[in-house]
Amino acid sequence: MDDTIRKARSIIENYDGPKLRIMEVCGTHTHEIFRLGIRKILPENIELISGPGCPVCVTPVDFIDEAMMLALEKKCLICTFGDLIRVPGTRMSLADARAEGADIQIVYTPLDAVNTARENPDRQVVFLSVGFETTTPSACLSVKKAKEQGLTNYSVLTANKTMPNAYEALKGSADAFLFPGHVNAITGEADCRRLRDEGVSGVIAGFTAKELLTALAVIIEKSKSGEPFFVNCYPRVVRPEGNPAGMKLIAEVMEPCDSQWRGLGIIPGSGLKLRETYRAYDARIRFALPEVHGKPNPACRCGDVLQGKCKPSDCKVFGKVCTPEHPVGACMVSNEGSCSAYYQYERWQ
């Protein structure tokens, strides 16, 4: 066994201090921690809880209903990533809409959607832009390309979000955060240092067994001081300055706005919308969409799961009515969703 892994595992297994609640914000962290069996070695006084680190999971029902309106009423050609297809809206999912004749295509990058618009000049093409700082630069690039190419039939429906204010909203939910390495590869360390100065502790974590065990061990050791802390445990990928080119692109094309998060409500300044210069590519403006207030299934506890208030298995419909084949909530749909991870791993353990 690697010496680093051996040392980290010893720190974790032998921890006998006060109870620690650690929130793994990133959905990929949740899945990897399960897959690697890390939960099995945790002592009873360390609790791992899942947070709002899955962009599809925190996208509100309102957004799905808006997409449905564009697909069915405005007859737009909708381009989307695959994990959004089966997320339930108030009345139906995009998959249901496609079964009713809506033109909904899965793409792998936003630039694929731009190509679709160029190849279909007689159709209005809308890309469903959902994601955190990791994928937002590619959505911004698609808008820039569409403008450069003079495309008047391309627009985006935005649900892009940024993480820092979400940590503020969850400040009392955990003793420390496992910050998502993918997001911080873009944003760098500055936000995490600011959060530390405001009393929010956490470490940036990678995704291998060594990186995750090291991150948990560092949290345990740093927590002993009782002082807020921050450590970058993923330096091979996350530089202090992050990705300046990616951040510059976001700042050029988008600006902050208030945003609705599933389960967390409206978090001020946590969303992104197109700047005035690119407002012609905003689908809400182009198609004059009315304000939509979706209604999630009342049986679904995705909101509580995303806040760390309950485990997926505490939900009455989990694994019964709600399964990956027939999801009731977004957390069961996405490959990064907490309910999906618990369904895949915990219920067999």
Side-chain angles (χ1 to χ4, degrees):
M1 184 186 296
D2 182 283
D3 285 343
T4 302
I5 292 179
R6 184 182 294 108
K7 182 179 179 181
R9 181 165 179 168
S10 176
I11 290 172
I12 294 168
E13 292 180 324
N14 294 308
Y15 175 67
D16 61 356
K19 185 170 184 177
L20 276 178
R21 297 188 88 221
I22 302 171
M23 179 175 282
E24 79 265 359
V25 178
C26 176
T28 304
H29 280 158
T30 300
H31 278 260
E32 285 304 292
I33 287 170
F34 265 122
R35 189 183 67 83
L36 294 167
I38 291 175
R39 274 181 166 80
K40 293 181 178 180
I41 69 168
L42 298 179
E44 291 185 0
N45 50 354
I46 295 180
E47 181 183 7
L48 283 181
I49 54 177
S50 301
C54 162
V56 170
C57 300
V58 298
T59 299
V61 173
D62 305 2
F63 181 83
I64 303 299
D65 291 350
E66 287 178 310
M68 219 70 67
M69 192 178 298
L70 290 169
L72 294 172
E73 296 180 21
K74 306 297 184 180
K75 304 300 181 183
C76 296
L77 191 165
I78 302 295
C79 290
T80 179
F81 295 144
D83 55 359
L84 206 61
I85 286 284
R86 294 190 301 121
V87 176
T90 298
R91 193 169 63 87
M92 63 173 70
S93 66
L94 290 167
D96 297 326
R98 186 162 58 179
E100 291 193 5
D103 196 348
I104 298 170
Q105 299 182 13
I106 294 175
V107 295
Y108 296 99
T109 74
L111 291 179
D112 292 340
V114 175
N115 292 336
T116 299
R118 189 175 60 250
E119 293 165 1
N120 296 271
D122 58 332
R123 299 291 307 280
Q124 284 291 330
V125 176
V126 179
F127 173 68
L128 304 184
S129 185
V130 170
F132 297 133
E133 294 93 337
T134 313
T135 56
T136 296
S138 61
C140 292
L141 182 60
S142 78
V143 173
K144 282 195 68 173
K145 290 291 185 183
K147 186 174 183 179
E148 290 169 0
Q149 295 173 23
L151 297 178
T152 58
N153 66 325
Y154 179 74
S155 58
V156 295
L157 184 68
T158 56
N160 300 82
K161 291 175 169 55
T162 55
M163 289 304 304
N165 287 3
Y167 299 132
E168 295 276 10
L170 290 163
K171 191 173 181 178
S173 299
D175 298 302
F177 292 96
L178 282 178
F179 293 129
H182 291 151
V183 168
N184 290 103
I186 302 296
T187 62
E189 298 179 356
D191 288 327
C192 298
R193 296 188 184 281
R194 176 182 58 78
L195 287 165
R196 176 201 59 198
D197 294 342
E198 295 174 5
V200 178
S201 297
V203 303
I204 299 174
F207 301 90
T208 66
K210 180 189 290 188
E211 289 164 343
L212 285 166
L213 288 170
T214 297
L216 291 171
V218 167
I219 287 177
I220 290 170
E221 290 295 285
K222 290 290 183 179
S223 294
K224 293 176 181 178
S225 71
E227 298 294 327
F229 60 86
F230 161 67
V231 180
N232 180 3
C233 293
Y234 198 28
R236 70 183 179 90
V237 172
V238 177
R239 298 176 296 177
E241 71 277 14
N243 184 328
M247 294 300 290
K248 181 180 178 181
L249 180 58
I250 293 174
E252 176 189 347
V253 178
M254 292 186 173
E255 62 185 0
C257 64
D258 298 345
S259 184
Q260 178 84 28
W261 293 58
R262 187 188 297 259
L264 299 178
I266 294 177
I267 301 179
S270 66
L272 291 166
K273 64 180 181 180
L274 295 178
R275 290 187 179 275
E276 188 65 39
T277 312
Y278 295 95
R279 204 59 57 84
Y281 296 90
D282 187 325
R284 292 186 179 92
I285 294 174
R286 178 173 295 184
F287 298 99
L289 294 184
E291 189 171 344
V292 173
H293 299 285
K295 296 180 180 180
N297 190 316
C300 173
R301 296 191 67 186
C302 273
D304 290 336
V305 170
L306 293 168
Q307 296 178 76
K309 291 182 176 179
C310 76
K311 293 181 179 180
S313 50
D314 294 330
C315 179
K316 291 182 179 180
V317 298
F318 173 81
K320 303 177 180 71
V321 177
C322 184
T323 66
E325 292 76 24
H326 302 284
V328 172
C331 296
M332 185 63 85
V333 177
S334 173
N335 290 331
E336 294 184 345
S338 301
C339 294
S340 171
Y342 274 72
Y343 185 89
Q344 185 174 351
Y345 297 104
E346 186 187 66
R347 71 196 193 102
W348 304 117
Q349 296 179 9

